[in-house]
Amino acid sequence: MMLGTELQNLDGNLKQVQETLLNKWTGEGLTKHLAQQKQQHAECMAQARADISKLEESVDSFRRQAENNKEAIQQRIDQMQTARQDIEKVKMQTEGMSKQEAELRGMIGTSVQQIAKEKELILAQDKVTKQKMEELQKAVVFFKDRLGLKFRKLDGGRLQFSFTLIDAKDPDRAFVFTLKVDSKYEVVDCDPKVSDLDDLVAKLNATNNLSAFVQTMRKRFKQLV
């Protein structure tokens, strides 16, 4: 008896499940269910499209940001390269200036040494000139009365010698030569002309014997009378 009752209950439950399944998956139930599923699918697709659009916007934003960052980095690289080039130029200019400064210092040092040598040479020449002038003064004093010699100092370190008492017919006739005194002797004027004057001057510079030169010049003038 109990077994029969359980079978009846099971059969009733199965019928109820069958009716529920038939009502849901057939007829209006199925249509309603499909409509709900379609609506949910449409909503999901719309949401997905919205999410995709947002993602695309984010991707575009990141891409633009990346491009901007790339441009900024390139600008920094260009600035660094320009700065490096400027540094190299300044370095080269500085090295060039240091080299020029060293060259100038060398030139100045050389010039100072050269000036010092020239100064020593000038002092030595002045000493020689003074000595020769002193000798000339002594020679003038010696020959003035004996040989009718007159002596006159001219500009430019020149000394003029004028002899008289040479020409017996004209004792006052002047025989003149002008001697330039520098680092060496040079006759710049002679009246009347003496033929071997150059040789006499060369001997004077070799021996520095002014007294002998003056006497020889008087003899040459005497031979011209």
Side-chain angles (χ1 to χ4, degrees), residues 29-163:
L30 179 60
T31 301
K32 184 177 180 181
H33 176 71
L34 291 174
Q36 290 177 349
Q37 290 295 322
K38 183 177 180 180
Q39 179 65 29
Q40 291 178 356
H41 178 70
E43 291 175 356
C44 289
M45 290 298 293
Q47 184 64 41
R49 282 194 292 271
D51 293 340
I52 291 171
S53 179
K54 291 181 180 180
L55 289 173
E56 289 177 346
E57 290 178 358
S58 297
V59 170
D60 290 339
S61 177
F62 286 132
R63 185 181 293 110
R64 288 192 298 271
Q65 185 64 38
E67 291 294 332
N68 292 335
N69 291 339
K70 183 178 179 181
E71 291 178 359
I73 292 172
Q74 187 61 44
Q75 289 179 356
R76 293 295 298 277
I77 292 174
D78 293 340
Q79 291 174 354
M80 291 177 64
Q81 290 178 347
T82 301
R84 186 179 293 109
Q85 292 174 355
D86 292 340
I87 291 172
E88 290 296 328
K89 289 180 180 179
V90 172
K91 184 178 179 181
M92 292 177 64
Q93 291 175 353
T94 302
E95 292 176 352
M97 292 176 65
S98 299
K99 185 177 180 180
Q100 290 179 355
E101 182 180 359
E103 291 177 353
L104 287 173
R105 288 182 181 275
M107 291 174 62
I108 292 172
T110 302
S111 298
V112 170
Q113 293 177 357
Q114 185 175 358
I115 290 171
K117 291 180 179 179
E118 290 178 354
K119 184 177 180 180
E120 291 178 358
L121 179 60
I122 291 171
L123 291 174
Q125 290 177 347
D126 287 343
K127 185 177 180 180
V128 171
T129 300
K130 288 179 180 179
Q131 290 176 348
K132 290 182 178 181
M133 290 294 293
E134 291 175 357
E135 292 174 1
L136 285 172
Q137 293 288 351
K138 292 179 182 178
V140 167
V141 172
F142 179 78
F143 291 112
K144 185 174 182 180
D145 296 329
R146 293 176 175 83
L147 303 177
L149 173 65
K150 292 182 179 180
F151 169 80
R152 188 159 61 110
K153 186 176 181 181
L154 305 178
D155 295 336
R158 296 177 300 160
L159 300 172
Q160 187 182 73
F161 294 81
S162 178
F163 292 99

Side-chain angles (χ1 to χ4, degrees), residues 158-174:
R158 296 177 300 160
L159 300 172
Q160 187 182 73
F161 294 81
S162 178
F163 292 99
T164 57
L165 306 177
I166 291 178
D167 188 350
K169 296 179 182 180
D170 186 4
D172 293 330
R173 179 186 174 187

